[in-house]
């Protein structure tokens, strides 16, 4: 093949679409139930937005951004995530004047130059939500409820929630100091990549995959022990509300995991992830948390926010693994089968009129035998073949043949009569 889709990207073919429809529809239904309004931001933003928002020292900004200079000399980046862009839009459009919190969702492709593997791509899709302008733990629980509900509504089972609080600027420096001191004591048992991380992003040592790091993380200082009074109160209140939610969702099993720190710098206080219980490799399905300091980093006034994003490819992989039944592809109502030039013209005109009646209709390819056209109709899984010949035109009728083996009937050559006949008792759609 002279050309293939770029590494880490894929085509979503018509046969894959029922799965994607299932995920998109479920996402939109859940979003509307919680009164989130859709927002679409551009595919690209100025590079500086992500450098400041996501953080200069993160893997995303250091190694994974698709950045380029445009013809005007501006540095542009294909968005690697949605939160910074949504916050930019919140500030740009004065959304602080709206009732708070402003609840927004998106369903959009993201771009990260990562090493592709199962569940990890260079172009991938996220369903994300952001609730901006309310610091209350009530919103933390709302957002988690929404994430949980989304995953469960997709039909997935065997998932689990991990939560943590990573404090904020008021208590983080004290925590980071002790965390660094702890790892420095064990520097000899740290692999080289982890030693580099110790300076750049010490919190990331806690969720590092290397076995030596995992052993050390176990006994490392915990952010929960360092929370300021206010952040500790937020955390306790959050836990209380989460336990309240458990009464409604008895299957909502969660664990407090002090190694959950997230890979983007904007997070403060509550962070969480949902993943399969038997998680291996790239498995986090949905992840998020609070970002109460992000708006300020972007030049806005202090504005709290919280949200999550779910990786749609990973969800789809799990929907397939768990063999969740999803609605099939849209049904094709009619294929017109036409014999002769006059019939072909009449069939095309009738197809147009039938589409106005709301039916899905295609004409069998011209210039083929009746047998070949009927084969085409069967292969297209149409519900009916509408057979039109010169003689039928003279008599003002057509033959309507159900392709599920039902009885063929004669119908007037009129769109409304045909539409009534196909939505009669034989109808399955
Ligand atoms: P994130 O953890 O970077 O957070 O990504 C969220 C989810 O997107 C992941 O849990 C995963 O399911 C999916 N994902 C990430 N990278 C890839 C990839 N290379 N291939 C396939 N799926 C991927 C964020 O993006 C934050 N903006 C989430 C957020 C919203 N926090 C607050 N609001």
């Amino acid at each position: 093949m002279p050309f293939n889709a770029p590494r880490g990207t894929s085509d979503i073919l018509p046969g894959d679409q029922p799965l994607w429809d299932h995920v998109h529809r479920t996402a939109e239904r859940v979003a509307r139930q919680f009164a989130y309004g859709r927002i679409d931001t551009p595919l690209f933003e100025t590079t500086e937005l992500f450098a400041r928002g996501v953080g200069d020292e993160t893997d995303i900004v250091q190694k994974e951004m698709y950045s380029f200079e445009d013809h005007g000399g501006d540095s542009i980046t294909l968005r690697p995530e949605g939160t910074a862009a949504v916050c930019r839009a919140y500030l740009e459009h004065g959304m602080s004047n709206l009732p708070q919190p402003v609840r927004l969702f998106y369903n959009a492709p993201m771009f990260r130059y990562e090493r592709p593997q199962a569940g990890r791509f260079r172009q991938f899709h996220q369903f994300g939500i952001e609730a901006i302008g309310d610091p209350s733990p009530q919103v933390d629980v709302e957002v988690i409820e929404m994430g949980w509900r989304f995953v469960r509504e997709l039909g997935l089972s065997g998932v689990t929630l991990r939560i943590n609080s990573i404090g904020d600027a008021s208590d983080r420096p004290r925590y980071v100091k002790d965390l660094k001191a702890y790892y420095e004591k064990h520097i000899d048992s740290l692999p080289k990549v982890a030693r580099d991380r110790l300076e750049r992003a010490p919190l990331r040592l806690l969720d590092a995959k290397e076995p030596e790091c995992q052993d050390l993380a176990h006994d490392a200082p915990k952010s929960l022990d360092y929370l300021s009074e206010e952040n500790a109160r937020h955390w306790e209140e959050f836990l209380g509300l989460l336990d309240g939610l458990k009464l409604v969702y008895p299957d909502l099993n969660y664990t407090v995991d002090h190694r959950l720190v997230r890979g983007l710098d904007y997070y403060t206080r509550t962070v969480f992830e949902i993943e399969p219980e038997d998680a291996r490799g790239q498995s986090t399905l949905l992840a998020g948390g609070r970002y109460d300091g992000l708006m300020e980093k972007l030049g806005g006034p202090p504005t709290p926010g919280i949200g999550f994003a779910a990786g749609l490819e990973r969800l789809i992989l799990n929907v397939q693994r768990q063999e969740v039944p999803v609605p099939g592809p849209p049904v094709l109502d009619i294929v017109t089968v036409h014999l002769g030039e006059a019939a072909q013209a009449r069939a095309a005109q009738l197809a147009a009129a039938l589409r106005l009646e709301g039916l899905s209709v295609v004409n069998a390819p011209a210039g083929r035998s009746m047998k070949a056209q009927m084969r085409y109709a069967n292969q297209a899984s149409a519900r009916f073949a509408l057979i039109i010949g010169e003689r039928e035109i003279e008599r003002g009728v057509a033959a309507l043949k159900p392709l599920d083996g039902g009885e063929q009937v004669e119908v007037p050559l009129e769109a409304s009569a045909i539409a009534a006949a196909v939505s009669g008792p034989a109808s399955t759609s």
Side-chain angles (χ1 to χ4, degrees):
M1 285 298 297
F3 295 109
N4 287 319
R7 208 162 117 71
T9 71
S10 44
D11 302 309
I12 305 175
L13 300 174
D16 308 324
Q17 297 292 347
L19 270 164
W20 284 85
D21 278 351
H22 171 60
V23 175
H24 284 144
R25 281 208 202 106
T26 307
E28 294 201 3
R29 193 169 64 241
V30 170
R32 306 266 179 230
Q33 246 196 331
F34 285 77
Y36 281 64
R38 180 168 180 131
I39 183 164
D40 290 299
T41 59
L43 276 182
F44 58 83
E45 301 272 352
T46 50
T47 300
E48 186 59 19
L49 175 75
F50 299 114
R52 277 216 237 160
V54 175
D56 269 330
E57 297 300 329
T58 57
D59 283 352
I60 293 182
V61 172
Q62 294 258 320
K63 325 190 261 212
E64 295 172 2
M65 296 210 298
Y66 281 91
S67 300
F68 58 96
E69 199 172 287
D70 70 9
H71 293 293
D74 292 322
S75 180
I76 293 294
T77 293
L78 298 186
R79 63 173 171 218
E81 63 101 47
T83 310
V86 169
C87 289
R88 193 261 312 134
Y90 176 95
L91 292 173
E92 187 171 338
H93 300 286
M95 292 192 219
S96 60
N97 295 319
L98 301 173
Q100 307 291 299
V102 174
R103 296 179 165 90
L104 301 165
F105 80 95
Y106 46 91
N107 247 323
M110 306 290 161
F111 306 87
R112 295 185 194 175
Y113 186 80
E114 294 198 81
R115 200 162 43 81
Q117 51 183 276
R120 192 202 268 172
F121 307 96
R122 291 183 174 171
Q123 176 176 324
F124 59 98
H125 297 76
Q126 285 185 341
F127 164 52
I129 66 138
E130 314 293 348
I132 304 175
D134 186 339
S136 161
Q138 180 184 305
V139 187
D140 303 24
V141 176
E142 170 187 299
V143 163
I144 287 179
E145 177 194 341
M146 212 170 148
W148 189 261
R149 185 161 162 74
F150 172 53
V151 171
R152 298 291 284 125
E153 281 276 292
L154 283 174
L156 294 179
S157 51
V159 285
T160 182
L161 167 72
R162 292 189 299 136
I163 55 173
N164 193 17
S165 174
I166 55 170
D168 60 13
S170 69
D171 44 34
R172 183 92 48 86
R174 215 160 48 87
Y175 174 53
V176 166
K177 188 165 152 270
D178 281 11
L179 193 64
K180 271 188 174 172
Y182 169 81
Y183 279 108
E184 268 153 16
K185 255 196 319 199
H186 297 94
I187 195 99
D188 294 339
S189 39
L190 280 181
K192 162 117 181 41
V193 341
R195 277 183 223 174
D196 295 344
R197 232 176 276 152
L198 185 56
E199 271 319 302
R200 218 163 40 84
L203 259 58
R204 294 311 305 276
L205 287 179
L206 291 168
D207 70 352
K209 297 281 176 284
E210 297 79 20
E212 303 91 320
C213 294
Q214 291 194 355
D215 288 346
L216 281 175
H218 201 259
D219 295 322
K222 300 175 172 54
S223 54
L224 286 176
D225 294 333
Y226 289 78
L227 295 183
S228 66
E229 207 176 305
E230 198 188 332
N231 289 343
R233 206 176 323 118
H234 184 100
W235 173 247
E236 289 304 323
E237 216 180 302
F238 163 70
L239 287 181
L241 292 167
L242 193 60
D243 284 333
L245 184 65
K246 245 184 99 64
L247 298 177
V248 183
Y249 287 89
D251 66 342
L252 176 71
N253 54 68
Y254 71 83
T255 48
V256 176
D257 184 350
H258 79 279
R259 287 166 304 183
L260 176 59
V261 289
R262 310 284 297 124
L264 299 92
D265 275 358
Y266 49 62
Y267 288 110
T268 54
R269 301 184 179 191
T270 315
V271 289
F272 60 92
E273 292 192 358
I274 294 177
E275 62 181 6
E277 273 161 0
D278 57 351
R280 320 163 230 123
Q282 297 301 314
S283 56
T284 305
L285 301 174
L286 181 153
R290 268 207 170 272
Y291 45 85
D292 293 344
L294 176 54
M295 289 290 186
E296 281 168 278
K297 281 192 195 158
L298 302 183
T303 313
I306 179 165
F308 69 69
L312 302 192
E313 284 79 0
R314 290 188 194 174
L315 289 166
I316 285 177
L317 209 68
N318 281 274
V319 165
Q320 286 174 312
R321 263 192 209 144
Q322 295 190 13
E323 297 179 9
V324 176
V326 299
V331 175
L332 175 59
D333 293 310
I334 297 178
V335 168
T336 69
V337 170
H338 39 82
L339 303 161
E341 250 173 58
Q344 184 190 326
R346 192 61 191 268
Q349 192 189 23
L350 207 51
L354 285 166
R355 290 185 198 112
L356 284 181
E357 297 279 339
L359 297 172
S360 55
V361 186
V362 293
N363 301 305
R368 297 198 191 164
S369 69
M370 160 122 173
K371 200 167 148 205
Q373 290 189 52
M374 286 302 292
R375 195 176 326 120
Y376 176 87
N378 277 304
Q379 282 169 348
S381 304
R383 293 170 53 221
F384 294 91
L386 183 70
I387 305 161
I388 308 169
E390 312 275 318
R391 248 181 317 172
E392 279 87 356
I393 294 180
E394 274 165 29
R395 290 175 45 231
V397 295
L400 185 67
K401 186 173 169 53
L403 295 178
D404 61 3
E407 220 23 49
Q408 178 168 317
V409 293
E410 213 167 67
V411 286
L413 255 185
E414 272 166 32
S416 56
I418 297 167
V422 302
S423 34
S427 168
T428 50
S429 68

